[in-house]
Amino acid sequence: MYKGSCLCGSIQFTLKGGVTDIIHCHCSLCRKASGSAYATNAFINADDFELTDKDNTLTYYESSQGKRKYFCNKCGAPIYSANAQSPERYRLRLGALDSDISERPISHNFVTLKANWEDLDAELPRYEKYEPGRV
Ligand SMILES: [Zn+2]
Ligand SMILES: [Zn+2]
Protein backbone atom coordinates (compact mmCIF):
# COMPACT_ATOMS: atom_id res chain seq x y z
CA MET A 1 0.00 0.00 0.00
CA TYR A 2 1.32 3.41 -1.01
CA LYS A 3 0.52 6.83 0.39
CA GLY A 4 0.74 10.25 -1.17
CA SER A 5 -0.23 13.88 -0.71
CA CYS A 6 -0.12 17.32 -2.24
CA LEU A 7 2.46 19.94 -1.26
CA CYS A 8 0.25 21.66 1.35
CA GLY A 9 -1.16 18.40 2.75
CA SER A 10 -4.80 19.23 2.14
CA ILE A 11 -5.09 16.26 -0.21
CA GLN A 12 -4.03 12.83 1.02
CA PHE A 13 -4.42 9.54 -0.78
CA THR A 14 -3.91 5.84 -0.31
CA LEU A 15 -3.20 3.43 -3.13
CA LYS A 16 -4.15 -0.14 -2.28
CA GLY A 17 -2.50 -1.66 -5.36
CA GLY A 18 0.73 -0.95 -7.20
CA VAL A 19 1.53 1.25 -10.17
CA THR A 20 2.26 0.20 -13.76
CA ASP A 21 3.81 1.69 -16.88
CA ILE A 22 5.93 4.36 -15.21
CA ILE A 23 7.25 6.66 -17.91
CA HIS A 24 8.97 10.02 -18.09
CA CYS A 25 6.95 12.10 -20.56
CA HIS A 26 8.73 14.99 -22.25
CA CYS A 27 5.79 16.35 -24.26
CA SER A 28 5.04 20.05 -23.94
CA LEU A 29 1.74 19.44 -22.12
CA CYS A 30 3.46 17.40 -19.42
CA ARG A 31 6.27 19.94 -19.11
CA LYS A 32 3.82 22.77 -18.58
CA ALA A 33 1.55 20.74 -16.26
CA SER A 34 4.51 19.83 -14.05
CA GLY A 35 6.65 22.96 -14.42
CA SER A 36 9.56 20.63 -14.94
CA ALA A 37 11.72 18.97 -17.62
CA TYR A 38 9.28 16.07 -17.79
CA ALA A 39 6.41 14.49 -15.92
CA THR A 40 6.72 11.03 -14.39
CA ASN A 41 3.38 9.25 -14.54
CA ALA A 42 2.05 5.75 -13.95
CA PHE A 43 -1.25 3.93 -14.30
CA ILE A 44 -3.22 2.98 -11.22
CA ASN A 45 -6.56 1.21 -10.83
CA ALA A 46 -9.28 3.71 -10.00
CA ASP A 47 -10.72 1.19 -7.52
CA ASP A 48 -7.40 1.13 -5.62
CA PHE A 49 -7.32 4.89 -5.15
CA GLU A 50 -8.78 6.46 -2.00
CA LEU A 51 -8.46 10.22 -1.75
CA THR A 52 -9.33 12.55 1.10
CA ASP A 53 -9.70 16.25 0.44
CA LYS A 54 -10.23 17.86 3.83
CA ASP A 55 -10.25 21.49 2.65
CA ASN A 56 -11.99 20.80 -0.68
CA THR A 57 -8.97 21.93 -2.66
CA LEU A 58 -9.04 19.20 -5.31
CA THR A 59 -9.91 20.72 -8.67
CA TYR A 60 -9.24 19.92 -12.30
CA TYR A 61 -8.33 21.41 -15.60
CA GLU A 62 -9.88 19.75 -18.65
CA SER A 63 -6.96 19.81 -21.08
CA SER A 64 -9.08 18.27 -23.84
CA GLN A 65 -12.58 16.81 -23.96
CA GLY A 66 -12.90 14.11 -21.29
CA LYS A 67 -9.31 14.44 -20.07
CA ARG A 68 -9.12 16.00 -16.63
CA LYS A 69 -5.90 16.88 -14.83
CA TYR A 70 -6.55 16.98 -11.09
CA PHE A 71 -4.50 19.24 -8.83
CA CYS A 72 -4.68 21.08 -5.50
CA ASN A 73 -5.98 24.62 -5.93
CA LYS A 74 -4.22 25.75 -2.74
CA CYS A 75 -0.65 24.61 -3.45
CA GLY A 76 -0.86 23.79 -7.18
CA ALA A 77 0.49 20.25 -6.86
CA PRO A 78 -0.55 17.87 -9.68
CA ILE A 79 -2.11 14.64 -8.33
CA TYR A 80 -3.57 12.53 -11.15
CA SER A 81 -5.43 12.63 -14.42
CA ALA A 82 -8.57 10.84 -15.56
CA ASN A 83 -9.71 10.00 -19.07
CA ALA A 84 -13.45 9.52 -19.61
CA GLN A 85 -12.65 6.87 -22.23
CA SER A 86 -10.95 4.63 -19.65
CA PRO A 87 -12.62 5.37 -16.30
CA GLU A 88 -11.24 2.18 -14.71
CA ARG A 89 -7.77 3.64 -14.42
CA TYR A 90 -6.03 6.92 -13.57
CA ARG A 91 -2.67 8.34 -14.41
CA LEU A 92 -0.90 9.15 -11.15
CA ARG A 93 1.67 11.97 -10.91
CA LEU A 94 4.40 9.97 -9.29
CA GLY A 95 5.96 12.93 -7.50
CA ALA A 96 2.83 13.08 -5.33
CA LEU A 97 3.80 9.79 -3.65
CA ASP A 98 5.29 9.83 -0.16
CA SER A 99 6.00 6.09 -0.08
CA ASP A 100 8.98 4.28 -1.56
CA ILE A 101 7.80 2.04 -4.37
CA SER A 102 9.09 -1.21 -5.86
CA GLU A 103 8.22 -0.40 -9.51
CA ARG A 104 10.64 1.46 -11.78
CA PRO A 105 10.36 3.65 -14.89
CA ILE A 106 10.42 1.85 -18.23
CA SER A 107 11.15 4.65 -20.71
CA HIS A 108 11.48 8.25 -21.76
CA ASN A 109 8.59 9.18 -24.10
CA PHE A 110 8.05 11.98 -26.63
CA VAL A 111 11.77 12.67 -26.56
CA THR A 112 11.71 14.65 -29.81
CA LEU A 113 9.57 17.21 -27.96
CA LYS A 114 11.88 17.55 -24.97
CA ALA A 115 13.19 20.88 -23.73
CA ASN A 116 16.45 21.75 -25.50
CA TRP A 117 18.20 22.39 -22.16
CA GLU A 118 17.69 18.84 -20.95
CA ASP A 119 20.18 16.13 -21.91
CA LEU A 120 18.45 12.81 -21.10
CA ASP A 121 21.20 11.08 -19.21
CA ALA A 122 19.20 8.11 -17.92
CA GLU A 123 19.81 4.62 -19.29
CA LEU A 124 16.24 4.06 -20.38
CA PRO A 125 14.80 3.38 -23.83
CA ARG A 126 13.65 6.51 -25.63
CA TYR A 127 10.62 6.80 -27.87
CA GLU A 128 9.31 9.47 -30.18
CA LYS A 129 5.81 8.86 -28.83
CA TYR A 130 4.43 6.26 -26.40
CA GLU A 131 6.32 3.12 -25.45
CA PRO A 132 5.48 0.02 -27.54
CA GLY A 133 2.40 -1.80 -26.28
CA ARG A 134 0.66 1.21 -24.76
CA VAL A 135 -3.11 0.89 -25.20
ZN1 LIG B 1 -2.23 21.24 -1.64
ZN1 LIG C 1 3.20 14.06 -21.93
Side-chain angles (χ1 to χ4, degrees), residues 45-59:
N45 288 324
D47 285 345
D48 292 340
F49 192 60
E50 285 177 4
L51 183 143
T52 57
D53 180 16
K54 65 181 163 70
D55 300 327
N56 285 315
T57 59
L58 186 72
T59 188

Side-chain angles (χ1 to χ4, degrees), residues 6-11 57 72-77:
C6 68
L7 183 58
C8 74
S10 172
I11 295 166
T57 59
C72 175
N73 69 16
K74 185 174 171 188
C75 68

Side-chain angles (χ1 to χ4, degrees), residues 50-87:
E50 285 177 4
L51 183 143
T52 57
D53 180 16
K54 65 181 163 70
D55 300 327
N56 285 315
T57 59
L58 186 72
T59 188
Y60 65 84
Y61 169 68
E62 196 159 84
S63 58
S64 60
Q65 175 108 37
K67 290 185 176 179
R68 294 178 173 182
K69 297 178 184 312
Y70 286 86
F71 62 97
C72 175
N73 69 16
K74 185 174 171 188
C75 68
I79 308 294
Y80 71 102
S81 65
N83 185 336
Q85 295 195 337
S86 48

Side-chain angles (χ1 to χ4, degrees), residues 23-31 39 41 69 109-110 130:
I23 60 93
H24 303 304
C25 187
H26 295 257
C27 84
S28 60
L29 296 177
C30 286
R31 284 193 278 122
N41 300 324
K69 297 178 184 312
N109 290 8
F110 289 90
Y130 293 110

Side-chain angles (χ1 to χ4, degrees), residues 24 26 37-38 107-108 111 114-126:
H24 303 304
H26 295 257
Y38 50 84
S107 62
H108 287 276
V111 293
K114 74 175 183 61
N116 78 345
W117 43 262
E118 198 229 335
D119 63 4
L120 283 176
D121 56 356
E123 305 249 332
L124 290 179
R126 294 161 192 185

